[in-house]
Protein backbone atom coordinates (compact mmCIF):
# COMPACT_ATOMS: atom_id res chain seq x y z
CA UNK A 1 0.00 0.00 0.00
CA UNK A 2 1.27 3.48 -0.81
CA UNK A 3 2.73 5.45 2.09
CA UNK A 4 2.02 9.07 2.98
CA UNK A 5 5.44 10.05 1.56
CA UNK A 6 4.64 8.31 -1.72
CA UNK A 7 1.37 10.22 -2.24
CA UNK A 8 2.06 13.63 -0.69
CA UNK A 9 0.96 16.49 -2.97
CA UNK A 10 -0.73 14.17 -5.46
CA UNK A 11 -4.32 14.65 -6.70
CA UNK A 12 -7.00 12.04 -5.97
CA UNK A 13 -6.96 10.43 -9.44
CA UNK A 14 -3.18 10.46 -9.61
CA UNK A 15 -2.97 8.95 -6.13
CA UNK A 16 -5.24 6.06 -7.12
CA UNK A 17 -3.16 5.49 -10.25
CA UNK A 18 0.06 5.48 -8.24
CA UNK A 19 -1.39 3.04 -5.70
CA UNK A 20 -2.46 0.72 -8.52
CA UNK A 21 1.05 0.84 -9.98
CA UNK A 22 2.55 -0.01 -6.58
CA UNK A 23 0.16 -2.95 -6.15
CA UNK A 24 0.86 -4.23 -9.67
CA UNK A 25 4.61 -4.02 -9.04
CA UNK A 26 4.33 -5.83 -5.74
CA UNK A 27 2.21 -8.57 -7.31
CA UNK A 28 4.77 -9.05 -10.08
CA UNK A 29 7.59 -9.36 -7.54
CA UNK A 30 5.64 -11.93 -5.53
CA UNK A 31 4.89 -14.02 -8.60
CA UNK A 32 8.52 -13.83 -9.68
CA UNK A 33 9.56 -14.98 -6.22
CA UNK A 34 7.46 -18.10 -6.58
CA UNK A 35 4.06 -17.29 -5.11
CA UNK A 36 1.20 -19.35 -6.53
CA UNK A 37 -1.46 -17.44 -4.61
CA UNK A 38 -4.72 -16.52 -6.31
CA UNK A 39 -4.33 -12.86 -5.45
CA UNK A 40 -7.15 -11.33 -3.42
CA UNK A 41 -7.31 -7.97 -1.76
CA UNK A 42 -6.60 -7.48 1.90
CA UNK A 43 -7.47 -3.80 1.50
CA UNK A 44 -11.24 -4.07 1.63
CA UNK A 45 -11.91 -0.34 1.55
CA UNK A 46 -14.27 1.37 3.97
CA UNK A 47 -16.56 2.61 1.19
CA UNK A 48 -17.48 -0.81 -0.22
CA UNK A 49 -21.08 -1.88 0.11
CA UNK A 50 -21.73 -4.78 2.45
CA UNK A 51 -21.44 -8.15 0.75
CA UNK A 52 -19.43 -6.90 -2.25
CA UNK A 53 -16.01 -8.43 -2.71
CA UNK A 54 -13.11 -5.98 -3.10
CA UNK A 55 -11.55 -5.92 -6.55
CA UNK A 56 -8.02 -4.78 -5.74
CA UNK A 57 -5.40 -7.53 -5.98
CA UNK A 58 -2.80 -7.39 -3.25
CA UNK A 59 -0.85 -9.62 -0.91
CA UNK A 60 1.89 -8.86 1.57
CA UNK A 61 3.41 -12.33 1.79
CA UNK A 62 4.57 -15.14 -0.48
CA UNK A 63 2.49 -18.30 -0.35
CA UNK A 64 4.98 -21.05 -1.24
CA UNK A 65 4.25 -24.16 -3.22
CA UNK A 66 3.54 -26.81 -0.60
CA UNK A 67 3.70 -30.58 -0.28
CA UNK A 68 0.17 -31.36 0.92
CA UNK A 69 -0.73 -34.80 2.27
CA UNK A 70 -4.42 -35.73 2.48
CA UNK A 71 -5.03 -38.58 4.95
CA UNK A 72 -8.28 -40.46 4.35
CA UNK A 73 -9.66 -43.51 6.12
CA UNK A 74 -12.88 -44.84 4.62
CA UNK A 75 -14.68 -46.06 1.53
CA UNK A 76 -14.73 -44.85 -2.07
CA UNK A 77 -17.28 -42.21 -1.06
CA UNK A 78 -14.82 -40.81 1.48
CA UNK A 79 -11.93 -40.64 -1.00
CA UNK A 80 -13.65 -39.23 -4.09
CA UNK A 81 -14.48 -35.74 -2.73
CA UNK A 82 -10.85 -35.25 -1.71
CA UNK A 83 -9.73 -36.10 -5.24
CA UNK A 84 -11.59 -32.97 -6.37
CA UNK A 85 -9.89 -30.95 -3.62
CA UNK A 86 -6.50 -32.38 -4.62
CA UNK A 87 -6.99 -31.32 -8.24
CA UNK A 88 -7.83 -27.78 -7.13
CA UNK A 89 -4.67 -27.66 -5.02
CA UNK A 90 -2.62 -28.96 -7.94
CA UNK A 91 -4.00 -26.21 -10.17
CA UNK A 92 -2.61 -23.71 -7.66
CA UNK A 93 0.86 -25.20 -7.93
CA UNK A 94 0.97 -27.46 -4.88
CA UNK A 95 2.21 -31.04 -4.86
CA UNK A 96 -0.53 -33.25 -3.44
CA UNK A 97 -0.46 -36.81 -2.13
CA UNK A 98 -3.57 -38.71 -1.10
CA UNK A 99 -2.87 -41.40 1.50
CA UNK A 100 -5.61 -43.98 1.85
CA UNK A 101 -6.20 -47.73 1.72
CA UNK A 102 -4.50 -49.63 -1.12
CA UNK A 103 -7.88 -50.53 -2.65
CA UNK A 104 -8.29 -46.84 -3.57
CA UNK A 105 -4.98 -46.53 -5.46
CA UNK A 106 -6.55 -46.68 -8.93
CA UNK A 107 -9.22 -44.13 -8.02
CA UNK A 108 -6.49 -41.68 -7.00
CA UNK A 109 -3.72 -42.31 -9.53
CA UNK A 110 -6.13 -42.37 -12.49
CA UNK A 111 -6.65 -38.68 -11.73
CA UNK A 112 -2.89 -37.97 -11.81
CA UNK A 113 -2.68 -37.60 -8.03
CA UNK A 114 0.15 -39.16 -6.01
CA UNK A 115 -0.80 -41.99 -3.69
CA UNK A 116 0.48 -43.60 -0.50
CA UNK A 117 -1.03 -46.78 0.99
CA UNK A 118 -2.44 -46.50 4.50
CA UNK A 119 -3.06 -49.68 6.46
CA UNK A 120 -6.52 -51.09 7.01
CA UNK A 121 -9.35 -52.69 5.06
CA UNK A 122 -12.24 -50.27 4.43
CA UNK A 123 -14.67 -53.09 3.63
CA UNK A 124 -14.01 -54.71 7.00
CA UNK A 125 -14.29 -51.35 8.76
CA UNK A 126 -17.64 -50.77 7.04
CA UNK A 127 -18.86 -54.20 8.06
CA UNK A 128 -17.93 -53.57 11.69
CA UNK A 129 -19.80 -50.25 11.58
CA UNK A 130 -22.92 -52.02 10.29
CA UNK A 131 -22.65 -54.62 13.05
CA UNK A 132 -22.40 -51.95 15.76
CA UNK A 133 -25.03 -49.70 14.21
CA UNK A 134 -22.47 -46.90 14.20
CA UNK A 135 -22.94 -46.29 17.93
CA UNK A 136 -20.75 -46.48 21.02
CA UNK A 137 -23.33 -48.71 22.72
CA UNK A 138 -23.32 -50.97 19.67
CA UNK A 139 -19.55 -51.26 19.89
CA UNK A 140 -19.87 -52.34 23.53
CA UNK A 141 -22.54 -54.94 22.69
CA UNK A 142 -20.46 -56.32 19.79
CA UNK A 143 -17.41 -56.59 22.06
CA UNK A 144 -19.42 -58.46 24.70
CA UNK A 145 -20.85 -60.84 22.11
CA UNK A 146 -17.47 -61.57 20.54
CA UNK A 147 -14.38 -60.04 22.22
CA UNK A 148 -12.19 -61.16 19.30
CA UNK A 149 -13.97 -58.66 17.01
CA UNK A 150 -12.97 -55.71 19.19
CA UNK A 151 -9.42 -57.05 19.37
CA UNK A 152 -9.18 -57.28 15.58
CA UNK A 153 -10.69 -53.82 15.12
CA UNK A 154 -8.34 -52.24 17.64
CA UNK A 155 -5.37 -53.86 15.90
CA UNK A 156 -6.44 -52.50 12.53
CA UNK A 157 -7.01 -48.98 13.86
CA UNK A 158 -3.56 -49.01 15.45
CA UNK A 159 -2.01 -50.06 12.13
CA UNK A 160 -3.85 -47.23 10.37
CA UNK A 161 -2.65 -44.76 12.99
CA UNK A 162 1.03 -45.70 12.70
CA UNK A 163 0.93 -45.81 8.88
CA UNK A 164 0.14 -42.07 8.91
CA UNK A 165 3.83 -41.40 9.66
CA UNK A 166 5.02 -42.97 6.43
CA UNK A 167 2.27 -41.15 4.56
CA UNK A 168 3.69 -37.74 5.50
CA UNK A 169 7.41 -38.58 5.40
CA UNK A 170 8.27 -41.50 3.11
CA UNK A 171 8.12 -42.49 -0.59
CA UNK A 172 5.28 -44.70 -1.83
CA UNK A 173 6.70 -48.19 -1.14
CA UNK A 174 4.70 -49.82 -3.96
CA UNK A 175 5.36 -47.30 -6.73
CA UNK A 176 8.34 -49.22 -8.21
CA UNK A 177 6.24 -52.40 -8.27
CA UNK A 178 3.45 -50.74 -10.26
CA UNK A 179 5.91 -49.19 -12.68
CA UNK A 180 7.59 -52.56 -13.21
CA UNK A 181 4.29 -54.02 -14.38
CA UNK A 182 3.29 -51.00 -16.44
CA UNK A 183 0.52 -49.69 -14.20
CA UNK A 184 2.11 -46.50 -12.87
CA UNK A 185 0.73 -43.13 -13.83
CA UNK A 186 3.23 -41.67 -16.28
CA UNK A 187 2.90 -38.16 -14.91
CA UNK A 188 4.33 -39.12 -11.49
CA UNK A 189 7.90 -39.89 -10.56
CA UNK A 190 8.69 -43.36 -9.30
CA UNK A 191 9.37 -43.66 -5.59
CA UNK A 192 10.00 -39.90 -5.30
CA UNK A 193 10.77 -38.53 -1.84
CA UNK A 194 7.97 -36.75 -0.03
CA UNK A 195 7.81 -34.79 3.21
CA UNK A 196 4.58 -32.96 3.95
CA UNK A 197 4.41 -29.22 4.59
CA UNK A 198 0.73 -29.40 5.56
CA UNK A 199 -1.85 -32.11 6.23
CA UNK A 200 -5.56 -32.37 5.53
CA UNK A 201 -7.22 -35.34 7.23
CA UNK A 202 -10.53 -36.92 8.14
CA UNK A 203 -11.10 -37.93 11.79
CA UNK A 204 -10.80 -41.75 11.53
CA UNK A 205 -7.05 -41.42 10.76
CA UNK A 206 -6.39 -40.74 14.48
CA UNK A 207 -2.64 -40.32 13.93
CA UNK A 208 -3.01 -37.02 12.07
CA UNK A 209 -2.29 -34.58 14.89
CA UNK A 210 0.69 -36.56 16.16
CA UNK A 211 2.51 -36.72 12.81
CA UNK A 212 1.87 -33.02 12.27
CA UNK A 213 3.35 -32.27 15.68
CA UNK A 214 6.40 -34.37 14.80
CA UNK A 215 6.98 -32.38 11.60
CA UNK A 216 5.87 -29.05 13.12
CA UNK A 217 3.37 -28.51 10.29
CA UNK A 218 -0.29 -27.37 10.22
CA UNK A 219 -3.30 -29.68 10.23
CA UNK A 220 -6.80 -29.08 8.84
CA UNK A 221 -9.63 -31.54 9.54
CA UNK A 222 -12.30 -31.98 6.87
CA UNK A 223 -15.29 -34.33 7.10
CA UNK A 224 -18.92 -34.58 5.94
CA UNK A 225 -20.11 -35.23 9.51
CA UNK A 226 -19.79 -33.12 12.67
CA UNK A 227 -16.81 -34.20 14.77
CA UNK A 228 -14.60 -33.01 17.64
CA UNK A 229 -16.35 -29.65 18.21
CA UNK A 230 -19.42 -29.96 20.39
CA UNK A 231 -22.72 -28.24 19.70
CA UNK A 232 -26.08 -28.19 21.47
CA UNK A 233 -27.89 -28.41 18.14
CA UNK A 234 -27.21 -32.08 17.36
CA UNK A 235 -25.20 -34.97 18.87
CA UNK A 236 -22.08 -36.77 17.75
CA UNK A 237 -22.91 -39.18 14.88
CA UNK A 238 -21.70 -42.22 16.88
CA UNK A 239 -23.49 -41.29 20.11
CA UNK A 240 -26.82 -42.94 19.29
CA UNK A 241 -28.70 -39.90 20.63
CA UNK A 242 -31.82 -38.47 19.02
CA UNK A 243 -31.53 -35.93 16.21
CA UNK A 244 -34.76 -34.23 17.23
CA UNK A 245 -34.26 -30.50 17.59
CA UNK A 246 -33.75 -29.55 21.26
CA UNK A 247 -36.61 -27.53 22.76
CA UNK A 248 -34.09 -25.33 24.55
CA UNK A 249 -30.38 -24.65 24.18
CA UNK A 250 -30.00 -25.11 27.95
CA UNK A 251 -32.16 -28.21 28.36
CA UNK A 252 -31.05 -31.76 29.07
CA UNK A 253 -31.11 -32.83 25.41
CA UNK A 254 -28.99 -29.85 24.33
CA UNK A 255 -26.46 -30.50 27.09
CA UNK A 256 -26.32 -34.19 26.14
CA UNK A 257 -25.71 -33.25 22.51
CA UNK A 258 -22.79 -31.02 23.45
CA UNK A 259 -21.28 -33.52 25.86
CA UNK A 260 -21.48 -36.41 23.37
CA UNK A 261 -18.49 -35.09 21.40
CA UNK A 262 -16.10 -35.00 24.34
CA UNK A 263 -17.44 -38.32 25.65
CA UNK A 264 -16.74 -40.02 22.32
CA UNK A 265 -13.20 -38.65 22.22
CA UNK A 266 -12.75 -39.66 25.85
CA UNK A 267 -13.66 -43.27 25.01
CA UNK A 268 -11.12 -43.30 22.17
CA UNK A 269 -8.47 -41.71 24.39
CA UNK A 270 -9.05 -44.30 27.11
CA UNK A 271 -8.77 -47.13 24.58
CA UNK A 272 -5.86 -45.92 22.44
CA UNK A 273 -4.11 -43.29 24.56
CA UNK A 274 -1.48 -45.64 25.98
CA UNK A 275 -0.66 -47.11 22.56
CA UNK A 276 -0.42 -43.68 20.94
CA UNK A 277 1.94 -42.49 23.65
CA UNK A 278 4.23 -45.47 23.07
CA UNK A 279 4.22 -44.69 19.35
CA UNK A 280 4.88 -40.99 19.99
CA UNK A 281 7.93 -41.75 22.11
CA UNK A 282 9.40 -44.64 20.11
CA UNK A 283 8.75 -43.50 16.53
CA UNK A 284 7.86 -39.82 16.47
CA UNK A 285 10.33 -38.84 19.22
CA UNK A 286 7.64 -36.80 20.97
CA UNK A 287 6.80 -36.64 24.66
CA UNK A 288 3.74 -38.61 25.83
CA UNK A 289 0.38 -36.88 26.15
CA UNK A 290 -1.01 -36.88 29.72
CA UNK A 291 -3.53 -39.68 29.98
CA UNK A 292 -6.57 -37.94 31.43
CA UNK A 293 -9.85 -36.44 30.22
CA UNK A 294 -8.41 -32.92 29.88
CA UNK A 295 -6.30 -34.13 26.94
CA UNK A 296 -8.89 -36.42 25.34
CA UNK A 297 -10.17 -34.02 22.66
CA UNK A 298 -6.88 -32.58 21.47
CA UNK A 299 -8.26 -31.25 18.16
CA UNK A 300 -10.73 -28.96 19.93
CA UNK A 301 -8.22 -28.05 22.66
CA UNK A 302 -5.65 -27.00 20.05
CA UNK A 303 -8.21 -25.05 17.97
CA UNK A 304 -7.43 -27.10 14.85
CA UNK A 305 -9.48 -25.84 11.86
CA UNK A 306 -12.45 -28.01 10.92
CA UNK A 307 -14.26 -27.77 7.58
CA UNK A 308 -17.70 -29.38 7.50
CA UNK A 309 -18.22 -30.81 4.01
CA UNK A 310 -21.94 -30.26 3.56
CA UNK A 311 -24.09 -27.50 2.14
CA UNK A 312 -24.87 -24.66 4.55
CA UNK A 313 -28.28 -24.48 2.83
CA UNK A 314 -28.92 -28.03 4.03
CA UNK A 315 -27.54 -27.53 7.53
CA UNK A 316 -26.06 -24.14 8.57
CA UNK A 317 -23.11 -23.78 10.88
CA UNK A 318 -24.18 -24.32 14.51
CA UNK A 319 -24.38 -21.07 16.43
CA UNK A 320 -22.01 -22.33 19.13
CA UNK A 321 -19.20 -23.52 16.86
CA UNK A 322 -15.99 -21.47 17.11
CA UNK A 323 -14.50 -19.40 14.30
CA UNK A 324 -12.12 -22.15 13.14
CA UNK A 325 -15.12 -24.35 12.26
CA UNK A 326 -16.84 -23.57 8.97
CA UNK A 327 -19.47 -25.26 6.82
CA UNK A 328 -17.79 -25.13 3.41
CA UNK A 329 -20.09 -27.10 1.11
CA UNK A 330 -19.59 -30.34 -0.80
CA UNK A 331 -16.49 -31.17 -2.84
CA UNK A 332 -17.18 -32.15 -6.45
CA UNK A 333 -15.41 -31.77 -9.78
CA UNK A 334 -17.89 -28.97 -10.54
CA UNK A 335 -17.20 -26.90 -7.42
CA UNK A 336 -16.85 -23.28 -8.50
CA UNK A 337 -17.59 -24.16 -12.12
CA UNK A 338 -20.61 -24.35 -14.39
CA UNK A 339 -22.04 -27.87 -14.44
CA UNK A 340 -21.63 -29.46 -17.83
CA UNK A 341 -22.93 -32.71 -19.27
CA UNK A 342 -20.63 -35.59 -18.42
CA UNK A 343 -19.70 -37.96 -21.21
CA UNK A 344 -18.38 -41.48 -20.64
CA UNK A 345 -15.01 -42.52 -21.97
CA UNK A 346 -14.87 -44.87 -24.95
CA UNK A 347 -14.00 -47.73 -22.59
CA UNK A 348 -16.88 -46.99 -20.20
CA UNK A 349 -19.32 -46.54 -23.08
CA UNK A 350 -18.52 -50.08 -24.18
CA UNK A 351 -18.59 -51.35 -20.57
CA UNK A 352 -22.05 -49.91 -19.88
CA UNK A 353 -23.53 -50.57 -23.32
CA UNK A 354 -26.38 -52.72 -21.93
CA UNK A 355 -27.24 -50.11 -19.29
CA UNK A 356 -27.21 -47.29 -21.86
CA UNK A 357 -29.51 -49.28 -24.16
CA UNK A 358 -31.87 -50.04 -21.25
CA UNK A 359 -32.03 -46.39 -20.14
CA UNK A 360 -32.81 -45.24 -23.67
CA UNK A 361 -35.53 -47.88 -24.12
CA UNK A 362 -38.02 -46.30 -21.73
CA UNK A 363 -38.83 -43.45 -19.34
CA UNK A 364 -36.13 -42.24 -16.91
CA UNK A 365 -35.67 -44.76 -14.09
CA UNK A 366 -35.45 -44.31 -10.33
CA UNK A 367 -31.90 -44.70 -9.01
CA UNK A 368 -31.35 -46.68 -5.81
CA UNK A 369 -27.77 -46.76 -4.54
CA UNK A 370 -26.09 -48.43 -1.58
CA UNK A 371 -22.50 -47.40 -2.30
CA UNK A 372 -19.90 -49.24 -0.23
CA UNK A 373 -22.33 -50.35 2.47
CA UNK A 374 -22.02 -53.92 3.73
CA UNK A 375 -25.60 -55.22 3.85
CA UNK A 376 -26.49 -58.25 5.98
CA UNK A 377 -29.40 -59.63 3.93
CA UNK A 378 -29.08 -58.71 0.25
CA UNK A 379 -31.57 -61.37 -0.87
CA UNK A 380 -34.52 -59.85 1.00
CA UNK A 381 -33.56 -56.33 0.00
CA UNK A 382 -33.26 -57.07 -3.71
CA UNK A 383 -36.58 -58.96 -3.66
CA UNK A 384 -38.23 -55.97 -2.00
CA UNK A 385 -36.94 -53.68 -4.77
CA UNK A 386 -38.11 -56.01 -7.55
CA UNK A 387 -41.56 -56.40 -5.96
CA UNK A 388 -41.90 -52.62 -5.68
CA UNK A 389 -40.91 -52.16 -9.32
CA UNK A 390 -43.51 -54.68 -10.51
CA UNK A 391 -46.27 -53.32 -8.28
CA UNK A 392 -45.71 -49.72 -9.39
CA UNK A 393 -44.59 -50.44 -12.94
CA UNK A 394 -41.52 -48.28 -12.27
CA UNK A 395 -38.12 -48.75 -13.86
CA UNK A 396 -35.31 -48.91 -11.28
CA UNK A 397 -31.53 -48.97 -11.66
CA UNK A 398 -29.84 -50.41 -8.57
CA UNK A 399 -26.20 -49.74 -7.76
CA UNK A 400 -24.34 -52.03 -5.39
CA UNK A 401 -20.65 -52.44 -4.68
CA UNK A 402 -19.30 -54.51 -1.78
CA UNK A 403 -22.74 -56.07 -1.15
CA UNK A 404 -23.62 -57.50 -4.56
CA UNK A 405 -27.30 -57.53 -5.54
CA UNK A 406 -29.01 -58.88 -8.62
CA UNK A 407 -32.37 -57.26 -9.42
CA UNK A 408 -32.66 -58.60 -12.96
CA UNK A 409 -33.66 -62.17 -12.03
CA UNK A 410 -37.38 -61.65 -11.35
CA UNK A 411 -38.40 -58.23 -12.57
CA UNK A 412 -40.31 -58.42 -15.85
CA UNK A 413 -43.03 -55.91 -16.67
CA UNK A 414 -46.49 -56.71 -18.10
CA UNK A 415 -45.07 -56.92 -21.61
CA UNK A 416 -41.94 -58.80 -20.63
CA UNK A 417 -39.74 -55.71 -20.48
CA UNK A 418 -36.98 -55.56 -17.87
CA UNK A 419 -38.02 -53.17 -15.09
CA UNK A 420 -34.81 -53.31 -13.03
CA UNK A 421 -31.16 -53.08 -14.03
CA UNK A 422 -27.97 -53.73 -12.09
CA UNK A 423 -24.95 -51.45 -12.10
CA UNK A 424 -21.69 -51.47 -10.16
CA UNK A 425 -19.22 -48.58 -9.79
CA UNK A 426 -20.24 -45.86 -12.25
CA UNK A 427 -20.00 -42.09 -12.55
CA UNK A 428 -22.90 -40.52 -10.66
CA UNK A 429 -22.29 -37.31 -12.61
CA UNK A 430 -23.20 -39.24 -15.76
CA UNK A 431 -25.96 -41.53 -14.46
CA UNK A 432 -28.03 -39.47 -12.00
CA UNK A 433 -29.06 -36.70 -14.46
CA UNK A 434 -30.69 -39.44 -16.56
CA UNK A 435 -32.87 -40.60 -13.65
CA UNK A 436 -36.21 -39.20 -12.47
CA UNK A 437 -35.48 -39.67 -8.75
CA UNK A 438 -32.65 -40.76 -6.47
CA UNK A 439 -32.80 -42.94 -3.34
CA UNK A 440 -29.30 -42.91 -1.89
CA UNK A 441 -27.55 -44.12 1.27
CA UNK A 442 -25.95 -40.72 1.84
CA UNK A 443 -22.33 -41.21 0.75
CA UNK A 444 -20.47 -39.03 -1.73
Amino acid sequence: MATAADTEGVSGDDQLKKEEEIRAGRKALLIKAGSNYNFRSQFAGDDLEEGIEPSVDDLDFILPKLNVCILIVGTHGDVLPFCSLAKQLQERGHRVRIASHEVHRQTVTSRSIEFYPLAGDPKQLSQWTVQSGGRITGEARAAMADPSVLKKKDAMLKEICTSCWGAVSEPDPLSPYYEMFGNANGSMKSNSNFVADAVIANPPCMGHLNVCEALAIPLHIMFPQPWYYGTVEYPHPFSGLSYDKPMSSTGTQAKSNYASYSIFEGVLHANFGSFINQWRVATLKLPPVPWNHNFANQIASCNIPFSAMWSPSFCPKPHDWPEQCQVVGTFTQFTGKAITKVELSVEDTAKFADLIKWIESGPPPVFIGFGSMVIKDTTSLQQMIMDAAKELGTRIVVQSSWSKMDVETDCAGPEGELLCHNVGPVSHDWLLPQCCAVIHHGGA
Side-chain angles (χ1 to χ4, degrees):
M1 194 124 184
T3 64
D6 293 327
T7 58
E8 186 177 358
V10 180
S11 66
D13 290 343
D14 289 340
Q15 180 175 335
L16 288 175
K17 184 178 179 181
K18 185 174 181 64
E19 288 182 356
E20 289 175 0
E21 290 174 352
I22 292 173
R23 293 189 181 101
R26 181 180 296 165
K27 178 179 175 180
L29 288 173
L30 290 169
I31 293 175
K32 184 177 180 180
S35 177
N36 59 348
Y37 187 75
N38 183 20
F39 289 86
R40 302 288 300 202
S41 172
Q42 68 170 4
F43 302 101
D46 296 332
D47 56 346
L48 287 176
E49 295 181 23
E50 185 177 356
I52 296 179
E53 288 287 336
S55 60
V56 180
D57 292 333
D58 207 341
L59 190 67
D60 274 345
F61 66 92
I62 297 171
L63 183 68
K65 296 177 175 63
L66 303 174
N67 289 344
V68 181
C69 182
I70 303 178
L71 301 170
I72 311 164
V73 169
T75 65
H76 177 81
D78 293 292
V79 174
L80 200 59
F82 286 101
C83 289
S84 298
L85 175 63
K87 298 305 293 183
Q88 290 290 318
L89 291 170
Q90 285 179 335
E91 287 182 11
R92 285 156 175 77
H94 301 295
R95 179 184 175 189
V96 185
R97 162 189 279 188
I98 286 181
S100 190
H101 314 291
E102 180 62 32
V103 70
H104 301 312
R105 179 182 289 272
Q106 179 61 27
T107 298
V108 174
T109 58
S110 65
R111 291 166 171 79
S112 298
I113 303 168
E114 293 184 48
F115 183 82
Y116 184 93
L118 287 182
D121 178 2
K123 183 176 181 179
Q124 183 62 71
L125 290 171
S126 179
Q127 185 173 351
W128 284 332
T129 301
V130 170
Q131 291 173 352
S132 68
R135 300 178 179 181
I136 295 178
T137 53
E139 294 280 354
R141 284 195 297 269
M144 292 174 64
D146 186 357
S148 66
V149 172
L150 183 60
K151 186 176 181 180
K152 292 176 183 177
K153 184 176 182 180
D154 284 357
M156 185 179 293
L157 292 177
K158 290 174 181 178
E159 290 175 357
I160 292 172
C161 180
T162 55
S163 67
C164 289
W165 179 235
V168 300
S169 64
E170 297 176 1
D172 173 9
L174 296 180
S175 182
Y177 169 85
Y178 281 96
E179 278 199 352
M180 183 184 303
F181 288 92
N183 294 324
N185 190 306
S187 65
M188 291 179 287
K189 296 179 181 179
S190 169
N191 205 31
S192 55
N193 293 327
F194 182 94
V195 178
D197 299 310
V199 169
I200 296 168
N202 68 358
C205 294
M206 291 205 324
H208 43 45
L209 184 60
N210 300 284
V211 298
C212 287
E213 183 182 351
L215 291 178
I217 59 175
L219 169 66
H220 194 135
I221 302 294
M222 300 184 183
F223 205 47
Q225 298 183 68
W227 218 271
Y228 296 123
Y229 290 94
T231 173
V232 299
E233 296 188 14
Y234 37 75
H236 190 285
F238 272 44
S239 66
L241 298 177
S242 170
Y243 275 85
D244 291 340
K245 185 176 181 179
M247 299 297 292
S248 166
S249 60
T250 58
T252 302
Q253 183 182 355
K255 291 179 180 178
S256 297
N257 288 348
Y258 194 92
S260 65
Y261 294 83
S262 57
I263 291 173
F264 180 82
E265 293 304 316
V267 171
L268 288 183
H269 187 60
N271 195 24
F272 296 102
S274 177
F275 165 78
I276 289 177
N277 272 339
Q278 293 173 20
W279 173 55
R280 283 172 60 91
V281 173
T283 302
L284 304 182
K285 309 306 178 185
L286 295 172
V289 175
W291 200 42
N292 64 61
H293 70 279
N294 291 323
F295 293 87
N297 194 345
Q298 298 173 47
I299 296 295
S301 299
C302 296
N303 298 321
I304 302 298
F306 175 77
S307 290
M309 298 163 56
W310 63 76
S311 169
S313 299
F314 169 69
C315 184
K317 174 183 174 179
H319 72 278
D320 50 354
W321 266 7
E323 178 63 27
Q324 69 268 21
C325 298
Q326 297 294 330
V327 177
V328 298
T330 55
F331 296 175
T332 74
Q333 63 175 316
F334 299 116
T335 299
K337 304 175 183 177
I339 297 179
T340 57
K341 183 179 180 180
V342 173
E343 301 289 349
L344 291 179
S345 65
V346 175
E347 295 80 4
D348 282 345
T349 299
K351 178 181 178 181
F352 297 113
D354 288 344
L355 174 62
I356 294 171
K357 183 179 179 180
W358 179 80
I359 291 175
E360 294 174 347
S361 68
V366 172
F367 172 90
I368 299 179
F370 298 96
S372 301
M373 293 179 66
V374 178
I375 300 168
K376 292 181 180 179
D377 186 359
T378 56
T379 302
S380 297
L381 183 57
Q382 68 190 29
Q383 189 61 52
M384 183 190 305
I385 293 171
M386 290 187 287
D387 291 344
K390 288 185 288 187
E391 183 174 340
L392 299 174
T394 300
R395 285 156 41 95
I396 302 175
V397 55
V398 177
Q399 183 184 38
S400 58
S401 179
W402 287 339
S403 296
K404 299 296 183 184
M405 289 190 287
D406 184 1
V407 294
E408 299 179 16
T409 56
D410 180 26
C411 201
E415 299 180 7
E417 73 277 17
L418 187 64
L419 289 178
C420 294
H421 203 290
N422 303 314
V423 67
V426 65
S427 168
H428 284 179
D429 295 321
W430 169 77
L431 178 58
L432 298 190
Q434 302 182 73
C435 299
C436 63
V438 172
I439 301 173
H440 196 264
H441 75 296

